[in-house]
Amino acid sequence: MSFLEKIFGSASERFVKEVEPIVAKINAFEPQIEKLSDEELKAKTKEFKELLENGKTLEDLLPEAFACVREAARRTLGQRHFDVQMLGGIAMHRGGIAEMRTGEGKTLVATLPAYLNALIDSMHVVTVNDYLSMRDAAWMGQIYNALGLTVAVISHDSSFLYDESWSSSVKASADEERDEKGSFKVVHEFLRPIERVEAYEADITYGTNSEFGFDYLRDNLEYTYEKVRQKKHPYAIVDEIDSILIDEARTPLIISAPSADSDEMYKKFAGLAAKLKQDEHYTLDEKMHAVLLTDDGISKAEELLGIQNIYAGGAGSTEGGIKTVHHLETAIKAKALYHKDKEYVVKDGEVVIVDPYTGRLQPGRRWSEGLHQAIEAKEGVNIQKESRTFASITYQNYFRMYKKLSGMTGTAMTSQEEFYKVYGLNTVSIPTNNPIKRIDRDDLIFQTEKGKLMAIAKKVKELQSNGQPVLIGTISIEKNELLGEYLKREGVKFEMLNAKNHEREGEIIAQAGRKGAVTVATNMAGRGVDIKLGGSPASDEEADFVREVGGLFVLGTERHDARRIDNQLRGRSGRQGDPGETQFFVSMEDHIMRVFAADTVKNMMGRLGIPEDEAIQNKLITRSLESAQGKIEGLNFDARKHVLEYDDVLNFQRKTFYERRRGVLENEKDGQVRQVKLQVYDMFWVEHLETMDHLRSSVNLRAYGQRDPLVEYKREGLRLFKEMEESIKNTVEENLKKLEENKITMSAMGDVQRQAEKITEAPPLTPPQRGGEYKNVGRNDPCPCGSGKKFKKCHGAGI
């Protein structure tokens, strides 16, 4: 704590002190709101909207509006917002991030600012997966419905509107089945299927970050305004905001289409990479996640490819030098830096990316620049075609489009600087409703990974024999399954949760607090589902027993690159004042220690001569570990800033281009399918994206000439954008001129066709004859008059 914080308190403490009087006002409204009938409570929404039209502000209405939401939640869900939840709601309404511990009811908190802000405009609630979007829309939809607001949800392949008239007859049995099984599968009893555009017209729309982002890109490829989904971006609340705006910030959303086929090229270089040896032919920089060819490696590659100079091409080479080097380096990256069941899995003959932060599969997402194809070639699965980008945007720049942005998570304070610098968001730590009883024990440090895993298995066996439930967090599927083998040897019964069996995620996590339960999970553990002591449902006796033996024991098998992820794992224990324990078991062979820890620390344990399955607790090693995490967080922050600096250049161009395209879409009433202009816009934009991508790759080389690559990218990018604008203008003018000429012809043709239609309405020719142009026409041939009818039904009738 800094000197000023000791005197004035932290920013979070000052915020709580400032808004406590507002919470008191909310509570003061409660008695009179409780007396309202259901109809009168719903009518409050209309009253609030009228007050806003007459000059009141949202801040003026906040106390009474929040009191109404609290009452609606009590009547529909049987849940009353705690005072600390009101603090979180105020923080988000003011455009900040509410850090609230796991189990403090963030989903319920979001209803407060969502309702208040929906009084003036539609708004979006963003979640990390379809399951949570559907669950929250169906669950919280009851509150909004009681207050007279419409609620919709968009998922990957469908959209729904919350509608209690849809199928209320199944509600009781469906809820009973869901709660008893503890499976937390979303019951759709009130979710009526609707069109995507209609879902965005609701007062509040739930959906995932990827669906909102992709819909924005799709909107800017539409050819009629009626099909545009997101017509505005007023306010968004982002759940798990650190996961979406930090962990996934560097991953661009891309809409693309297949282009050239080059399977053999990837197979050739995958085979070549397999013959190269680490340290002899290439070196690995794990800190920078990069590979570097050695001189011997270059010579070996040239020998295997049959070329004299890999950088310049040569005899027998059909590829350009740079392209050959790119394929080679990508193939080596795929071999050395990307591992099956860690960075990706092979499922149904496809390479599927694993989210490094949540452990979830990411079907449909692909690494760019040929990396995904290189991994497919390495694994021997079907190589999908390379693609051409039609539209792209990063989450950073998508969410910065909203006029107002806020969010919530259990772990934000360690990234508060990045949230403020990149998004202008202040982070507030909200106090817990009940005092925290969880005990966070010091790390245990082992010399080897094998020794660590042996010690973990023994510890878990001991805890299980005492009846204490254990949640074990691992960093990958590979480590998940390896630990499973050690647990089996000790006779420990356990549930395993990872991306391979994520369908049972909610059910497994809901039961992780049962007596003696052991759950081994990747970092995806528990997203959106609380771990209740005794399981779900639990008897009072079982819940009390688990509390008496110490509550949930969370065991981390190694430290993650980011402290936030460690804190998320710890946060699964000690929910709502429950007892609990957490502890991390780390080894000197863990990735973070091996790559980032100081050499003096690495050598220490070897000198101490400690057996591999015995641990020490050493402040020097702990400080080294924390320092390593700080280094990695700093590197990752710098990398995200670097990506954003470059994407900001393209984002300015993207916004300018899309605004002009949207203007054509909205204002150009002439259909001719307007389409001419839009086709020209899209054709040049796709070409421009490709050119900017090549520019992005090439400007780095200019650093060798003492020129700043970013400055060069901005300068060259601006020139290319102006050239594109000029080309669009000229091409549009040329095409419209041709269209005008074509319209005259079409107009004349239309007159001829209308005349022909009049003729077909007249009686058949009398007397019937086959003279002139009808002389050689068959009865079943098209009539020469142009009516489109057969001759026997038109001018040939009666002949």
Side-chain angles (χ1 to χ4, degrees), residues 53-73:
E53 289 173 2
N54 292 322
K56 291 289 185 181
T57 66
L58 291 181
E59 200 72 25
D60 295 332
L61 300 181
L62 187 150
E64 189 175 5
F66 275 28
C68 287
V69 177
R70 173 188 267 172
E71 180 61 19

Side-chain angles (χ1 to χ4, degrees), residues 78-111:
Q79 297 180 345
R80 177 187 174 277
H81 295 77
F82 300 129
D83 285 0
V84 292
Q85 290 176 311
M86 293 294 173
L87 295 176
I90 295 168
M92 284 194 281
H93 163 66
R94 292 185 175 179
I97 297 172
E99 182 190 76
M100 301 182 71
R101 297 235 180 186
T102 299
E104 291 293 307
K106 292 186 290 291
T107 304
L108 190 62
V109 172
T111 59

Side-chain angles (χ1 to χ4, degrees), residues 185-257:
K185 291 180 173 60
V186 177
V187 181
H188 294 189
E189 68 267 22
F190 292 153
L191 297 181
R192 174 167 59 85
I194 56 172
E195 294 296 321
R196 194 76 150 198
V197 173
E198 190 181 350
Y200 279 102
E201 292 170 353
D203 295 312
I204 299 168
T205 305
Y206 282 81
T208 64
N209 49 317
S210 59
E211 287 305 311
F212 281 121
F214 276 125
D215 277 348
Y216 168 73
L217 294 179
R218 293 180 191 116
D219 283 347
N220 288 288
L221 293 171
E222 291 294 354
Y223 276 65
T224 56
Y225 186 66
E226 292 71 26
K227 292 183 180 179
V228 172
R229 304 155 188 82
Q230 296 178 13
K231 294 181 171 67
K232 51 192 173 182
H233 297 89
Y235 177 45
I237 295 174
V238 184
D239 192 9
E240 304 290 357
I241 193 168
D242 53 337
S243 174
I244 292 172
L245 296 191
I246 292 182
D247 297 341
E248 297 198 47
R250 292 167 62 186
T251 306
L253 294 168
I254 299 173
I255 290 181
S256 57

